[in-house]
Amino acid sequence: STNLIVTFLIIFLSRKCTVWKLFGLCMLFVLGSLLWVQLTCSGDMSQTVGYSHLPHQPCPVERQSSSADDPSWGPHKMALIVPFRERFEELLIFVPYIHTFLNKKKIRHKILIINQLDHFRFNRASLINVGYMESGNDTDYIAMHDVDLLPQNEDLDYGFPKEGPFHVASPELHPLYHYKTYVGGILLLSKKHYQLCNGMSNRFWGWGREDDEFFRRLKAADLKLFRPTGITTGTKTFRHIHDPAWRKRDQKRIAAQKQEQFKVDPEGGLTNVRYKVESRQEVTVSGAPCTVINTFLECDVSLTPWCQSSKYA
């Protein structure tokens, strides 16, 4: 193909030069450049995380800075935990976006994608527990962060929550959920406080309710919940990139799950989360570093039979 282009240029330039010919040559150069960029930026992340159907990595206009752990930014470091399954389109947007956002705010961080590989229903809470367990000793607080929620206001605080749990995606700012006990979306906690709550309940398979149960844990641990103040962007503070028509949430309630979903789980959490890490891989998305932790959750079907789903059977 290179020889063909060279031959074309020789023939093209050997004749009388006109404005239209110069315009055509410029267009050819632009198209060729775009083709080259597309070919060179096609990501191999699908091979890295073990999924061949992952879309190509989008090419950013400007490569992201990989700096995420500059000691001059302060003594604290966040483990940003993303519970994840199959939402690759959102992940390719989220990782470079949040990495750039945190770098601008000089927040030391590492991004952990806790990728659920087993055939059970999605369990956001257990994956966050896994993220906490696998976050290492170099971090002292966590961000429980949904992959489809992008902060749009740089005044939002992602710093160390010294006083107590800090709910970044508060009800008055979240684009969808506005009830006063809501603590989902984005929640920051020191590791000490997360341990004090024994993490999150592992009984919530499928979508929803796990954060409502966690709100009760915060109260039981006598932890005061803090939320943003002085933010004037209202429900435009975050961009919600989930498309429910494209990827429907698993909201089915199976067997006794309808009754169990409203109960407090007094014993479950970090102490009984059962899982196996299949692999741990360092990858980059548009220049932004993250760690993909491929995880198999375990389920005791005698206790929570609703963990099973025909989709993944």
Side-chain angles (χ1 to χ4, degrees), residues 78 81 169 175-176 183 257 274 311:
M78 171 205 297
I81 300 171
L176 296 178
V183 292
Q257 188 178 13
R274 297 163 55 194
K311 177 180 177 180

Side-chain angles (χ1 to χ4, degrees), residues 170-182:
S170 60
E172 67 273 14
L173 302 179
H174 196 284
L176 296 178
Y177 307 116
H178 311 301
Y179 57 96
K180 64 180 182 180
T181 59
Y182 176 67

Side-chain angles (χ1 to χ4, degrees), residues 144-182:
M144 301 152 55
H145 210 302
D146 287 352
V147 72
D148 58 8
L149 205 57
L150 307 180
Q152 304 293 294
N153 189 326
E154 292 186 6
D155 291 332
L156 288 168
D157 188 2
Y158 274 74
F160 181 75
K162 180 180 179 181
E163 301 299 325
F166 186 77
H167 188 211
V168 181
S170 60
E172 67 273 14
L173 302 179
H174 196 284
L176 296 178
Y177 307 116
H178 311 301
Y179 57 96
K180 64 180 182 180
T181 59
Y182 176 67

Side-chain angles (χ1 to χ4, degrees), residues 36 100 104 121 128 162 168 225 231 287:
W36 179 83
T100 300
K104 285 182 179 179
R121 299 171 73 192
I128 292 172
K162 180 180 179 181
V168 181
L225 181 67
I231 302 296

Side-chain angles (χ1 to χ4, degrees), residues 10-24:
I10 293 173
I11 296 173
F12 189 86
L13 295 174
S14 64
R15 299 178 180 178
K16 185 178 180 180
C17 184
T18 66
V19 173
W20 290 108
K21 285 185 177 181
L22 288 174
F23 176 78

